[in-house]
Amino acid sequence: MNLSSLPLINKVPDLGLLHRRVPFDTIQKENTVRNDLRGRNVLVTGGTSGIGAAIALAFAKRGANLHIAGRNADAASRILANAKSLCSESWPEYTGQELRFHSFDASLISDNKRYANEMRLLFEEKGGLDFLVMTQGGIGNGERKETAEGHEWLLALQDFSRYIIAAILLPVLKMGRRGVVIDVLSAGVWNKFDDENLELVGKSPDFFHVASRDGPIHDIMTLEFNQRCPEVIYNHLYPGPTQTDMTSTNNTGFIIKYGFAATTRLIGQTADQFAEIAFNVATKWEQTSGQNPIDVNNITLTPSTANVEECRTWGTTGERVKVRDYPSRPDVRAKIWKWLETETGVVVALMQYMFCVKRTYTEIGLGCTGFNGASFNVLPSLSQHPPTTTMRGLIAGLGHGFKPREPQFSVDHLVIGGGLYYPLGSLKSRLCIRGRTLMYDYCQKHSIPHKKLGKLVVALPHQTKYIEKLHAHCQSLRHHPNGHADGRPAVPTELISGDQARELEPDLSPQIASALWSRETGIVDSHSFMDSLESEITSSEGGEVVLGTRVVRVDPTSEGWIVQMLTSGAAEPDVVLAKTLINASGLASHQILNHLLPQLNPPEPKIPIYYARGSYAAYRGDGAKRVQRLIYPVADETKGYAFTSLGTHLTLDMEGNVKFGPDVEWIEPPSAGKGDSDRPEDIDYWSKHLVPSDARISQMHESITTYLPNVALEGLRPDYVGIRPKLSAPGGKGGFNDFVVRSDWSGRWTRGDGRDREGGRMITLMGIESPGLTSSLAIAEMVAEEVLASQ
């Protein structure tokens, strides 16, 4: 969707104070057709006084289940008693209406998060929230007041609070029908919108400055929420001169207090009249199936805008109005949206386009995201254990454009690693060694093409100490947990001289002084391996692989994880409730967590992931025709490659063809942001770097000829490109980065108190680069044991 070309209404009413009164009989006549809201849920924040109280009563007298939120419990008791009386007048025999008050401090970010998470859990249990009305706020009186968290009071109360509540409640708005949000706030028409000073530092937070700041912010929120979650209808409704008790309860100055009161009585409307307008806008959407609703002033909408819902901004009389230029500008919108996310720690969008939770879903025991060795192995591993309960399993992709075997498994033949390089005690060491054994056994059992070729790590004279240390390290792994019971080393290696290495591989350079010989290294036909795993899943009881499908949203519930998946060509997503979710989505695995972590209380920082592009070149020609084994150079530690790359090495495919690679080329997101950026242009940006190029062929050739001097530059051609997920930034001092296998329980979010080990479990795999393929069966084995242990 092009955010820079939003359609706007052609005829723009005046947004000043001198609006004519609403033809109220027209509104009342239209509202009578929607008088029965019994069984529907409405939440009104700021519903204990003024406009909020009036709107709450307008819904209550139609039989809706009314939840009001604020700080004044005494006022809430009076309003709820009045609501009960109004409902009884309308429906004398109806006793099923629910009336509740919820206390929270809307000026505090932390309490907004607590309250919103509690409401999300509440309405999940009730089947969804139909209407969210937000009226909390006040009138700027020129007196600067800061919250306990250090923010300008009305900014926190009107902007942060409403953003947090709407963002967190999106999943329950609605879980079946389309949910409607009514955001009641003034228009930003008084002064220029100063997006550089939103805290109004050095300015008086008076009525005009506050309105000029908050109105555009809410126009932006309206535009963004409607595009990011089109199944929820977000409306910004200007109240205009409405008669309320607001000025008597908010310590307003003399001019505002009496001037505003006089104006509302002269040309304004009562709170009850405005409540009917708000009710009309909220409920008309359902009567018109999402088309443009009421047209009180007979404003003509052109055909190009008649079915467009991005611009749901309404004037004081219920007429649709044009969003002013500055909030409709993409650069301003992006800036304000990012500012809201940063200041509140609540992130709305996981992807550019997301769906909200539907009420109907399929319940499964286990869900996996991603198409790779780890995810494809989990379900077969679980199927080998007799389940104590029936477990359905499902594997789907993540993100837009994430397809099976791309790019981490886009190669026909990949290396089965020997486990030489990884520190004792690390997951990479343990899982590579265990995975190597499982891989060879699996290939033998299932007739997967593979070869145990062995590998030579070759050293120039100044590099001999490196391979001596590497050999000593491998010998020390005889006591590794996955080592042999007879005392043999877990990673058998042999230190040989340069002459011995050349006897094995005559094309090696005469400068090679020594080498480390690893007999356990091999290659495997990775596509045959993946096809076999897929066949195991689909032939097992309850297993399913969903191709052409991307995961667009994940939400925590008290029972597990609601996962929404969109299949190519489908108009709406499918929804499952996974008791256990395995997030094995490779290059995108951090995105699910980064969507969720800021919503914790307290929020946790996002996890950055960095990408290294690795190019491979095919070779035809002299200088490597006689090679029978894999050949690796010693990594150039002076370039910081010790744990980033093993050097540009020689590999062979099942037909004996020679390939060299990979090199290391760090890529950055288009915005030059950090590795945790969730800007739309930064999501899956690596996919634009998958086209092979000859730009680095000469550099690769220079590296290759240090150990195979007769390889000719003209024999090299670009072959394919892979992307490796890195947990440390380029040039960072993090050193070795292990695999990350992380567990999170949905209860941490739904309870809002950070408690662990409650609800459903999500296991996230991150940084699964080399030796990921070799380790995949062992990773699956470990994850399966974790899942079974928690059943």
Side-chain angles (χ1 to χ4, degrees):
M1 188 175 293
N2 187 355
L3 301 184
S4 64
S5 58
L6 292 174
L8 301 174
I9 304 306
N10 291 335
K11 184 175 178 181
V12 184
D14 177 22
L15 293 182
L17 283 174
L18 298 178
H19 277 286
R20 64 181 177 82
R21 285 174 181 260
V22 178
F24 192 62
D25 56 342
T26 303
I27 294 287
Q28 286 185 315
K29 183 178 178 180
E30 292 192 1
N31 285 355
T32 58
V33 301
R34 297 184 297 281
N35 272 339
D36 188 357
L37 291 183
R38 288 177 294 178
R40 308 294 293 281
N41 295 318
V42 58
L43 172 63
V44 183
T45 60
T48 57
S49 64
I51 289 173
I55 295 175
L57 293 175
F59 277 92
K61 71 181 180 181
R62 272 89 176 188
N65 296 322
L66 176 62
H67 297 256
I68 60 175
R71 289 191 293 180
N72 193 331
D74 292 337
S77 297
R78 293 192 293 271
I79 293 166
L80 293 179
N82 193 2
K84 183 177 181 181
S85 175
L86 289 172
C87 181
S88 297
E89 293 176 7
S90 302
W91 314 97
E93 306 298 325
Y94 181 52
T95 60
Q97 186 183 44
E98 183 178 7
L99 303 170
R100 291 181 61 179
F101 168 66
H102 308 277
S103 177
F104 83 114
D105 187 344
S107 69
L108 296 177
I109 291 174
S110 57
D111 209 43
N112 275 286
K113 290 181 182 179
R114 175 200 61 79
Y115 156 74
N117 278 301
E118 288 180 358
M119 293 301 98
R120 180 172 63 173
L121 182 59
L122 173 67
F123 289 110
E124 279 177 2
E125 296 173 350
K126 295 183 178 299
L129 175 62
D130 299 286
F131 304 97
L132 170 64
V133 181
M134 298 185 290
T135 66
Q136 67 270 35
I139 297 177
N141 62 4
E143 178 185 347
R144 183 167 188 85
K145 180 180 177 182
E146 290 193 353
T147 70
E149 296 171 334
H151 295 288
E152 194 274 317
W153 183 66
L154 285 174
L155 177 71
L157 189 66
Q158 298 184 156
D159 301 317
F160 293 162
S161 174
R162 299 189 192 197
Y163 168 79
I164 291 168
I165 292 169
I168 292 178
L169 292 182
L170 280 179
V172 292
L173 274 162
K174 291 179 304 189
M175 295 168 63
R177 308 185 188 104
R178 301 185 76 179
V180 177
V181 178
I182 299 294
D183 182 357
V184 180
L185 198 73
S186 60
V189 300
W190 309 102
N191 295 314
K192 180 181 177 182
F193 179 49
D194 185 0
D195 59 6
E196 297 295 331
N197 186 16
L198 297 171
E199 293 275 0
L200 299 181
V201 177
K203 291 184 178 181
S204 171
D206 55 31
F207 174 73
F208 302 106
H209 282 114
V210 170
S212 298
R213 174 195 64 191
D214 293 352
I217 289 175
H218 286 254
D219 282 341
I220 289 170
M221 286 168 55
T222 304
L223 293 167
E224 290 292 327
F225 273 117
N226 281 315
Q227 288 205 343
R228 290 169 184 265
C229 192
E231 287 193 354
V232 170
I233 302 167
Y234 195 105
N235 303 275
H236 179 193
L237 186 57
Y238 302 160
T242 300
Q243 300 167 25
T244 73
D245 59 354
M246 181 69 72
T247 55
S248 65
T249 59
N250 281 274
N251 193 30
T252 53
F254 178 85
I255 295 177
I256 293 294
K257 182 172 184 176
Y258 293 102
F260 188 87
T263 301
T264 57
R265 282 170 173 76
L266 178 64
I267 63 171
Q269 58 209 351
T270 68
D272 289 339
Q273 287 176 318
F274 180 76
E276 290 298 312
I277 297 173
F279 178 83
N280 195 299
V281 171
T283 57
K284 188 65 177 242
W285 286 103
E286 294 190 345
Q287 297 296 313
T288 57
S289 300
Q291 305 300 311
N292 288 313
I294 69 171
D295 191 12
V296 175
N297 293 324
N298 297 316
I299 295 174
T300 301
L301 304 180
T302 64
S304 63
T305 62
N307 295 318
V308 175
E309 300 169 13
E310 288 94 340
C311 199
R312 304 186 182 115
T313 303
W314 308 89
T316 61
T317 56
E319 79 280 11
R320 202 161 186 173
V321 299
K322 178 180 178 180
V323 175
R324 301 193 73 192
D325 291 340
Y326 40 80
S328 64
R329 279 171 39 195
D331 59 329
V332 176
R333 287 173 58 180
K335 178 179 180 180
I336 297 302
W337 192 257
K338 185 64 176 179
W339 167 76
L340 285 167
E341 290 182 334
T342 302
E343 293 296 325
T344 64
V346 175
V347 179
V348 173
L350 172 60
M351 297 295 170
Q352 279 182 283
Y353 190 81
M354 291 171 54
F355 295 87
C356 293
V357 178
K358 300 193 299 183
R359 178 172 297 166
T360 57
Y361 53 76
T362 302
E363 184 173 312
I364 64 175
L366 174 73
C368 292
T369 67
F371 296 93
N372 53 53
S375 64
F376 265 33
N377 271 296
V378 173
L379 287 179
S381 295
L382 282 170
S383 67
Q384 296 173 11
H385 299 268
T388 55
T389 59
T390 301
M391 178 176 288
R392 291 193 59 208
L394 178 72
I395 294 186
L398 172 68
H400 54 83
F402 192 83
K403 301 175 182 178
R405 305 163 191 156
E406 180 184 333
Q408 289 176 304
F409 289 97
S410 60
V411 190
D412 288 336
H413 308 93
L414 290 175
V415 172
I416 301 175
L420 282 66
Y421 302 97
Y422 314 111
L424 177 64
S426 66
L427 285 178
K428 283 187 176 180
S429 178
R430 177 164 67 90
L431 297 174
C432 179
I433 294 170
R434 173 62 176 164
R436 182 192 71 206
T437 301
L438 293 174
M439 179 70 76
Y440 283 129
D441 290 346
Y442 185 92
C443 291
Q444 188 71 32
K445 179 179 178 180
H446 296 274
S447 300
I448 307 299
H450 69 288
K451 292 180 181 178
K452 189 182 290 190
L453 298 174
K455 174 174 75 173
L456 284 173
V457 183
V458 296
L460 297 169
H462 67 282
Q463 298 172 328
T464 55
K465 288 186 178 179
Y466 174 89
I467 61 169
E468 288 172 357
K469 288 172 59 178
L470 186 58
H471 175 58
H473 167 69
C474 293
Q475 294 301 302
S476 71
L477 295 177
R478 66 176 66 249
H479 302 300
H480 192 280
N482 292 325
H484 299 282
D486 58 6
R488 288 181 294 142
V491 183
T493 56
E494 182 181 350
L495 195 60
I496 61 177
S497 67
D499 290 337
Q500 289 174 307
R502 278 180 289 275
E503 288 179 9
L504 295 174
E505 297 294 348
D507 289 323
L508 282 173
S509 167
Q511 299 300 315
I512 296 299
S514 57
L516 190 66
W517 168 230
S518 168
R519 300 177 185 273
E520 293 297 315
T521 305
I523 58 174
V524 61
D525 183 338
S526 59
H527 283 187
S528 296
F529 175 57
M530 297 284 282
D531 288 340
S532 177
L533 294 173
E534 182 178 351
S535 177
E536 278 201 82
I537 295 168
T538 55
S539 62
S540 65
E541 183 179 354
E544 186 176 359
V545 177
V546 184
L547 299 176
T549 299
R550 55 193 174 98
V551 173
V552 293
R553 187 178 179 106
V554 174
D555 287 286
T557 74
S558 58
E559 297 179 0
W561 303 89
I562 292 180
V563 183
Q564 298 183 59
M565 302 164 291
L566 186 66
T567 301
S568 298
E572 293 189 352
D574 294 307
V575 182
V576 298
L577 172 63
K579 299 291 188 179
T580 302
L581 176 63
I582 312 299
N583 175 13
S585 40
L587 299 176
S589 61
H590 65 302
Q591 291 177 8
I592 289 179
L593 277 177
N594 284 351
H595 167 61
L596 295 168
L597 291 175
Q599 300 177 26
L600 286 170
N601 184 22
E604 290 188 9
K606 297 179 182 178
I607 299 168
I609 295 288
Y610 307 90
Y611 298 121
R613 181 180 189 264
S615 297
Y616 286 80
Y619 182 70
R620 290 291 179 87
D622 295 331
K625 285 184 176 180
R626 295 176 290 179
V627 172
Q628 301 293 316
R629 299 160 186 82
L630 309 184
I631 302 177
Y632 283 55
V634 169
D636 187 351
E637 296 180 281
T638 64
K639 296 182 179 179
Y641 286 173
F643 291 113
T644 301
S645 169
L646 299 178
T648 303
H649 49 263
L650 179 150
T651 63
L652 299 167
D653 63 23
M654 299 301 294
E655 288 74 42
N657 299 313
V658 173
K659 300 180 188 295
F660 290 100
D663 61 357
V664 176
E665 179 185 1
W666 292 97
I667 58 176
E668 293 185 353
S671 68
K674 297 179 180 179
D676 60 0
S677 171
D678 57 5
R679 294 172 64 94
E681 65 269 28
D682 293 342
I683 296 174
D684 293 354
Y685 70 91
W686 47 262
S687 61
K688 298 184 174 116
H689 294 269
L690 294 176
V691 179
S693 166
D694 60 3
R696 299 172 67 87
I697 289 290
S698 59
Q699 291 176 261
M700 295 177 69
H701 179 255
E702 182 181 347
S703 175
I704 293 165
T705 53
T706 61
Y707 60 94
L708 290 171
N710 295 321
V711 168
L713 175 62
E714 55 270 20
L716 294 168
R717 60 175 176 80
D719 193 15
Y720 60 89
V721 172
I723 306 293
R724 284 164 285 178
K726 301 289 186 179
L727 296 171
S728 290
K733 300 179 180 179
F736 173 76
N737 285 304
D738 206 355
F739 292 153
V740 172
V741 181
R742 168 180 173 142
S743 288
D744 292 277
W745 280 260
S746 60
R748 297 185 68 202
W749 283 266
T750 57
R751 290 184 60 90
D753 56 9
R755 291 190 186 181
D756 219 338
R757 299 184 180 274
E758 292 188 10
R761 188 177 194 176
M762 174 168 63
I763 298 177
T764 300
L765 310 179
M766 291 183 292
I768 311 296
E769 51 168 335
S770 180
L773 177 68
T774 306
S775 305
S776 60
L777 289 166
I779 293 173
E781 183 181 66
M782 180 180 70
V783 171
E785 290 173 356
E786 290 275 341
V787 172
L788 290 169
S790 65
Q791 296 301 312

